[in-house]
Amino acid sequence: MAHDDVHPVSLNCGDCPIRHRAVCARCDADEIDELENIKYYRSFEAGQTVIWAGDKMDFVASIVSGIATLTQTLEDGRTQMVGLLLPSDFVGRPGRSAAAYNVTATTNILMCCFRKKPFEEMMERTPHIAQRLLQMTLDELDAAREWMLLLGRKTAREKIASLLSIIARRDASIKPLAGSNRVTFDLPLTREAMADYLGLTLETVSRQISALKRDGVIVLEGKRHVTVPDIDRLLMEAGDDSDGGFLI
Amino acid sequence: MAHDDVHPVSLNCGDCPIRHRAVCARCDADEIDELENIKYYRSFEAGQTVIWAGDKMDFVASIVSGIATLTQTLEDGRTQMVGLLLPSDFVGRPGRSAAAYNVTATTNILMCCFRKKPFEEMMERTPHIAQRLLQMTLDELDAAREWMLLLGRKTAREKIASLLSIIARRDASIKPLAGSNRVTFDLPLTREAMADYLGLTLETVSRQISALKRDGVIVLEGKRHVTVPDIDRLLMEAGDDSDGGFLI
DNA sequence: CGAACAATTGAACACAGTCAAATACTGTGG
DNA sequence: CCACAGTATTTGACTGTGTTCAATTGTTCG
């Protein structure tokens, strides 16, 4: 079923879109050369599973393009997303042989992979990699804690508004049309994936999106394309502190 | 109000109870000497706030003894615990000047502190510290993700059983009376703190603890001392995978 | 002993979940 | 290009878990 690598890809690190944000961000020219030699690319189509929790995982990787998710499940099927992987995010844990979570491509993705052994050896010798990985892991931990507040204490409406804010923020940082407080973007997640992210059912997600639409907080064209006429209004709905760090 | 340092403490790193588990775990004798020179101790009484979110934080620290919590709040007072700090856990983030969370002592605690600047400088030169900190941060991230599953998808009863399992596991690793599947421990948290941990109200916590007691899953002596006659039963109630990693 | 705090218990309610049906998309083959 | 199948999404009616508000009981410590 899984036939990845349909279109084998090659890319020079110099031209890589995530060169300055990924785990290699701090590496100098020599170090990049070394990484260049051990890297390889893999691509997955939307919906494909990259790896199952518990499976042997002999590589680590950076997301080059597309979106993937980390999910955890209880035996009875209840599913919780525990990570949303965007371009430049890191997959896998040095020093661990099995995957701890399911990794799934929600859009077509391209990953820059390193076999675990050589990568670990290089990490030992290369503080720049370990330093960057520490920084990224601390950022992820902060994001996870923000997420815990959402899961534990926010209402369904606030959860939806928070998720839309996060996506809007990310898109704003890519195409910063500053000045205006109007934002437009595509939802990269299905209703079900949103539900798994937010600890809700997909019906509740659908209802709350409809409610935000009815109340004029968002405008929908089709099911996936969202326009936020007033981003401050959305941030209020998300229930965070005043500015929510949106402008930082 | 806050009068810490009532009993200034001094301790040799050689005698330190967290020497092999804290951020200094991998340091060699020379490195420990250097840390010894810049460390200082602070103690806080149960209930005291160590630092408020947003306050300037010019130190990082290890918890030597006692228990502290990290919490986040929404403006309207809703509170979510996002970290439970046990002995050897690390407080603060290198490269960040303000505290991101409220840190509160739930029992009397002793912290081994380092001023941020010297610590960061030493970290630059000392891979052993950065390596250990990365490892600890990755562990915390895993714990946070486990917690997200709990917050997003578990029932109130499962949440309580999970929390009791976590505390039981920790105590078991300290005094491992293997063979028996009977465990006894004291709850280090109030009902309110448990509620903030689990994303519940304190009334629901109280009701579910009463229910677990009524059903014979736990036995209470007083409000804080818990006996679990059959740890496997408790783990079943927690809803995790079969063994829940309890024996690993 | 009494005050302050912590925990339990009860009753009514509300928010989100469940089950079910209808509707809107998407891509495929005729 | 359209019809159709399969999937995603919306909407409705009802239910149930956990919350809220309130009163009571238990514990700790001046």
Side-chain angles (χ1 to χ4, degrees):
Chain A
M1 166 139 1
H3 55 104
D4 54 312
D5 301 324
V6 183
H7 303 294
V9 189
S10 199
L11 198 62
N12 284 323
C13 290
D15 304 327
C16 180
I18 58 166
R19 167 69 179 86
H20 347 275
R21 291 196 296 150
V23 72
C24 52
R26 291 195 182 179
C27 290
D28 57 36
D30 290 351
E31 291 162 349
I32 284 287
D33 283 348
E34 193 173 348
L35 283 173
E36 190 107 50
N37 284 327
I38 63 171
K39 83 181 182 190
Y40 59 99
Y41 290 98
R42 295 180 72 182
S43 61
F44 292 85
E45 289 170 35
Q48 281 190 321
T49 295
V50 176
I51 197 161
W52 295 100
D55 283 2
K56 187 160 183 297
M57 185 166 179
D58 52 5
F59 67 97
V60 298
S62 294
I63 303 286
V64 178
S65 64
I67 294 178
T69 62
L70 300 182
T71 57
Q72 245 181 336
T73 52
L74 268 16
E75 297 117 282
D76 62 5
R78 281 174 287 174
T79 300
Q80 176 64 52
M81 197 186 297
V82 297
L84 186 61
L85 302 175
L86 305 178
S88 83
D89 281 340
F90 189 76
V91 185
R93 174 170 172 169
R96 169 179 288 165
S97 56
Y101 313 101
N102 301 318
V103 182
T104 311
T106 55
T107 66
N108 291 347
I109 61 171
L110 178 64
M111 299 197 314
C112 173
C113 303
F114 308 97
R115 279 186 305 119
K116 200 155 62 67
K117 199 71 176 296
F119 184 83
E120 283 169 4
E121 284 164 5
M122 182 166 171
M123 224 178 85
E124 288 282 323
R125 289 177 270 117
T126 316
H128 283 162
I129 294 180
Q131 283 166 9
R132 177 63 186 146
L133 190 55
L134 174 57
Q135 202 174 40
M136 292 172 73
T137 306
L138 287 165
D139 286 341
E140 271 193 276
L141 186 56
D142 280 340
R145 285 171 168 164
E146 200 73 38
W147 201 336
M148 284 168 57
L149 176 65
L150 177 149
L151 290 171
R153 294 304 187 190
K154 287 191 177 179
T155 64
R157 185 181 175 101
E158 289 170 335
K159 286 179 176 183
I160 298 289
S162 299
L163 175 56
L164 295 176
S165 302
I166 290 170
I167 298 170
R169 182 181 320 172
R170 174 176 64 81
D171 272 40
S173 76
I174 290 171
K175 49 177 175 58
L177 50 118
S180 169
N181 58 355
R182 184 183 196 80
V183 182
T184 294
F185 55 90
D186 282 307
L187 284 175
L189 301 174
T190 64
R191 298 289 185 265
E192 187 178 25
M194 293 173 71
D196 288 342
Y197 186 116
L198 301 171
L200 297 172
T201 60
L202 65 89
E203 293 95 331
T204 299
V205 169
S206 182
R207 273 185 248 275
Q208 295 299 334
I209 288 179
S210 298
L212 289 174
K213 186 171 71 174
R214 186 174 347 104
D215 298 345
V217 181
I218 59 175
V219 179
L220 287 184
E221 301 166 58
K223 302 301 178 190
R224 292 296 192 88
H225 192 75
V226 180
T227 298
V228 181
D230 179 359
I231 188 71
D232 295 326
R233 171 83 192 283
L234 183 65
L235 290 169
M236 288 300 300
E237 293 282 357
D240 293 315
D241 285 343
S242 33
D243 63 342
F246 184 70
L247 300 169
I248 301 174
Chain B
M1 183 180 294
H3 54 103
D4 55 313
D5 303 322
V6 183
H7 303 293
V9 189
S10 200
L11 199 61
N12 284 324
C13 290
D15 304 328
C16 180
I18 58 167
R19 167 69 178 87
H20 350 274
R21 290 196 297 150
V23 72
C24 52
R26 291 195 183 179
C27 292
D28 57 35
D30 289 353
E31 292 161 349
I32 283 287
D33 283 348
E34 194 174 347
L35 284 173
E36 188 108 51
N37 284 328
I38 62 171
K39 82 179 184 192
Y40 59 98
Y41 289 97
R42 294 180 71 183
S43 60
F44 292 86
E45 288 170 35
Q48 282 190 320
T49 295
V50 176
I51 198 160
W52 294 100
D55 283 2
K56 188 159 181 300
M57 186 166 178
D58 52 5
F59 67 97
V60 296
S62 293
I63 304 286
V64 178
S65 64
I67 294 178
T69 63
L70 300 182
T71 57
Q72 245 180 337
T73 52
L74 268 15
E75 298 116 282
D76 62 5
R78 281 175 287 176
T79 299
Q80 176 65 52
M81 196 186 297
V82 296
L84 186 61
L85 302 175
L86 304 178
S88 83
D89 282 339
F90 190 76
V91 186
R93 174 171 172 168
R96 169 180 288 165
S97 56
Y101 312 101
N102 301 318
V103 182
T104 311
T106 55
T107 66
N108 292 346
I109 61 171
L110 178 63
M111 299 198 314
C112 173
C113 304
F114 308 97
R115 278 185 307 115
K116 201 155 61 68
K117 200 69 175 297
F119 185 84
E120 284 169 2
E121 286 164 4
M122 184 167 171
M123 224 177 86
E124 288 283 324
R125 288 177 271 115
T126 316
H128 282 162
I129 294 179
Q131 282 166 10
R132 176 63 185 146
L133 190 56
L134 174 58
Q135 202 175 42
M136 291 172 74
T137 306
L138 287 165
D139 286 342
E140 272 193 275
L141 186 56
D142 280 341
R145 286 172 165 163
E146 200 73 39
W147 201 334
M148 285 168 57
L149 176 64
L150 177 150
L151 290 171
R153 295 304 187 192
K154 288 191 178 180
T155 64
R157 185 180 174 102
E158 288 170 336
K159 286 180 175 182
I160 298 289
S162 298
L163 175 56
L164 295 176
S165 301
I166 289 169
I167 298 170
R169 182 180 320 172
R170 176 176 64 80
D171 273 40
S173 76
I174 289 171
K175 49 177 174 58
L177 50 116
S180 170
N181 58 355
R182 183 184 197 80
V183 182
T184 294
F185 55 89
D186 283 306
L187 283 175
L189 301 174
T190 65
R191 297 290 185 263
E192 187 178 25
M194 294 173 71
D196 288 342
Y197 187 116
L198 300 171
L200 297 171
T201 59
L202 65 89
E203 293 94 331
T204 299
V205 169
S206 183
R207 273 185 248 275
Q208 294 299 335
I209 288 179
S210 298
L212 289 173
K213 185 171 72 175
R214 185 172 350 102
D215 298 345
V217 180
I218 59 174
V219 179
L220 288 184
E221 300 165 59
K223 300 302 177 189
R224 293 299 193 86
H225 193 76
V226 180
T227 298
V228 180
D230 179 359
I231 189 69
D232 295 326
R233 171 83 192 282
L234 183 65
L235 290 169
M236 289 301 299
E237 293 281 357
D240 292 315
D241 286 343
S242 33
D243 62 343
F246 184 72
L247 299 169
I248 302 175

